[in-house]
Amino acid sequence: MMTDQIWRSEEQAVFALRGLYQRYGYAPYKMSQFEEYDLYVRNKDFLVSDKIITFSGEGGKLMALKPDVTLSIVKNAPEAPGVVQKVYYSENVYRDYREIMQAGLECVGDLTQYDIAEAVLLAVKSLNILGSRYVLDISHMGLLAAVLERCGFDEGQQKQAMGCLRQKNTHDLKALCGENQAAWETLQAISACRGGAEALEALTPYLTGEAELAAVQELKALLEMLAQGGYGDKVRLDFSVSNDLGYYSGVVFRGYLEGIPESVLSGGQYDKLPRKMGRKSCAIGFAVYADLLQELNQEDNLFDVDTLILHDGTVSLTRLHKAAETAGKDGSVLVATALPKGRSWKTLVDLRGGAVK
């Protein structure tokens, strides 16, 4: 049951997402509740939160209540030329001492540009399932890393610059560039870049390096594909979207639904994670934070029923059934001959007297 295409329960949303991922050939992935703590502590920077719940397992081995799914998938993915593992999951993870429902997918292996584009497309389609008013913000870590290197920044300055871009803090960004006017002009253009293909076109003259221009071509092809699929107005470039340079190497993105002040979807290409784990694979994926969907349901929870249909006994069964079925597509329905005492409703459809009010 939905209200304006917003799923009323996290379980229903996850069920719909699973169906979407299955249609694109993704297989289900199920992991244990527990993993060795060492897996997570070695990649703490990759995790959303570093608050990990631990306990002693057999033989005194330190175990963790899973705070993440991606690390397990990458660790267990097969590696061979031309082999790509596409999996989806719906798992409860444990962060900041909370249980969080999370769904998502991971694509790991010898990736092609199509695999990467397909993952971004599925992120957009996921948002489209969750609600009609959404946006996916896209950035590219490879482009940002190449620009920051060309600016001559050391590792500390790169982190500062990333922080400024994330906050759109052009004042401190300019101060960081100092007398390097070319660096300032390029970073200012990146910070101001927001929109679709036209925004990318305006940014391109400021980009000169081979890696920068390769990223531009990748973004251009991606935006074109999404526009042809009817999602052009739902996707926008925004280089304030970023992740850790030590893990992420390509396109990164965040998805937002109207009514929720933070991203409900987050992901990107993270080729550097498999490298840190001694693997040759490339990888891209995203997670949907299903628990945040509860915020969309707070208004609905104020009512016992979404639609109350009143009739006076003279309305035909066919008409009543049709009215109830139509209203039922947007939520719960109660059909009655009088206003029910002690009940509340969002919408009243009055069929008494042969009219529709």
Side-chain angles (χ1 to χ4, degrees), residues 10-219:
E10 305 90 276
E11 291 83 1
Q12 288 176 311
V14 169
F15 182 80
L17 292 173
R18 287 204 302 260
L20 169 66
Y21 306 150
Q22 287 172 351
R23 289 197 299 274
Y24 278 78
Y26 282 71
Y29 182 88
K30 186 68 178 176
M31 68 176 290
S32 168
Q33 289 286 92
F34 316 109
E35 283 274 4
E36 291 185 20
Y37 175 69
D38 190 51
L39 172 67
Y40 300 115
V41 78
R42 288 198 310 267
N43 299 282
K44 270 192 173 183
D45 292 341
F46 186 78
L47 301 177
V48 175
S49 170
D50 61 359
K51 293 184 176 66
I52 302 172
I53 303 172
T54 60
F55 62 95
S56 294
E58 288 187 27
K61 183 175 291 186
L62 193 60
M63 305 295 289
L65 197 57
K66 60 180 177 184
D68 177 81
V69 181
T70 301
L71 290 169
S72 175
I73 292 174
V74 173
K75 185 185 77 169
N76 295 300
E79 283 199 308
V83 173
V84 176
Q85 183 184 48
K86 296 183 176 184
V87 298
Y88 72 88
Y89 62 88
S90 55
E91 297 273 354
N92 288 336
V93 296
Y94 303 86
R95 295 176 186 152
D96 300 323
Y97 308 107
R98 293 188 302 122
E99 184 178 34
I100 298 170
M101 182 184 292
Q102 180 175 301
L105 60 80
E106 305 294 341
C107 185
V108 184
D110 191 4
L111 304 189
T112 66
Q113 283 302 309
Y114 175 78
D115 295 318
I116 294 168
E118 181 185 73
V120 179
L121 174 65
L122 287 172
V124 179
K125 285 180 174 287
S126 297
L127 291 171
N128 190 54
I129 282 176
L130 298 176
S132 59
R133 295 185 293 275
Y134 64 89
V135 66
L136 186 76
D137 285 343
I138 295 181
S139 178
H140 198 292
M141 297 304 294
L143 186 152
L144 292 176
V147 167
L148 295 178
E149 184 177 346
R150 177 163 61 86
C151 290
F153 292 159
D154 60 29
E155 185 177 345
Q157 290 172 321
Q158 288 184 19
K159 288 184 178 180
Q160 291 179 54
M162 289 297 295
C164 290
L165 289 171
R166 204 173 288 121
Q167 299 167 13
K168 293 190 178 293
N169 183 351
T170 54
H171 178 272
D172 289 349
L173 193 61
K174 185 175 183 179
L176 184 64
C177 293
E179 297 181 1
N180 190 339
Q181 186 63 23
W184 161 239
E185 290 177 357
T186 301
L187 292 175
Q188 183 184 35
I190 288 175
S191 181
C193 182
R194 188 175 178 84
E198 73 290 340
L200 183 61
E201 199 71 31
L203 174 63
T204 302
Y206 295 92
L207 306 175
T208 59
E210 183 179 343
E212 298 166 33
L213 295 176
V216 166
Q217 291 306 311
E218 183 181 345
L219 288 171

Side-chain angles (χ1 to χ4, degrees), residues 222-233:
L222 185 57
L223 292 174
E224 183 179 345
M225 182 197 75
L226 294 171
Q228 289 179 351
Y231 299 106
D233 61 337

